[in-house]
Amino acid sequence: MSTVKKDHPSGKDTRKAIEQQFETLLSNWKEQLGEKKFRNRVKKAAKVFSKGLPLVKKEAPVNKKAAKKNAAGKKAADKKAATGKKAAAAKPAQEQ
């Protein structure tokens, strides 16, 4: 189950809110363009307008088995990197 902060609306919710605001502000153009063209243009405008807004992305559900494998792999990689650093640090000290 993913957890999303409720104080920030998702991208879709933001776009829908912008669409509603555009529809109310530009309602007089609805008669001139027609319902279908007007709705498509409002959707496109809302999408472009909302692109610059910061979005809160949903967190992907965590697979426990994959998380354990990744954690074990990271620990092993960290140990190898640490031993490599110790060996590299010891070589210049021995050469002097």
Side-chain angles (χ1 to χ4, degrees):
M1 215 171 163
S2 64
T3 58
V4 178
K5 295 181 180 178
K6 296 294 180 185
D7 55 343
H8 295 289
S10 69
K12 259 187 181 178
D13 295 335
T14 304
R15 225 174 306 138
K16 294 287 183 186
I18 292 171
E19 283 179 29
Q20 289 175 351
Q21 291 174 356
F22 281 164
E23 284 181 8
T24 56
L25 291 172
L26 305 172
S27 60
N28 57 350
W29 286 8
K30 188 184 261 187
E31 298 163 1
Q32 295 173 355
L33 293 172
E35 180 70 31
K36 190 172 183 178
K37 284 184 180 179
F38 178 76
R39 184 167 301 270
N40 286 338
R41 291 181 186 190
V42 166
K43 280 185 179 182
K44 287 179 184 179
K47 186 175 182 179
V48 172
F49 188 78
S50 66
K51 269 214 166 152
L53 298 175
L55 298 178
V56 175
K57 294 184 179 181
K58 292 182 180 178
E59 294 178 11
V62 178
N63 186 354
K64 292 181 182 180
K65 290 181 182 179
K68 285 182 182 179
K69 286 182 183 179
N70 288 341
K74 285 182 182 179
K75 286 179 184 177
D78 289 342
K79 286 181 182 179
K80 287 180 184 178
T83 57
K85 288 179 185 177
K86 288 178 185 177
K91 284 182 183 179
Q94 291 174 354
E95 291 176 4
Q96 294 176 353

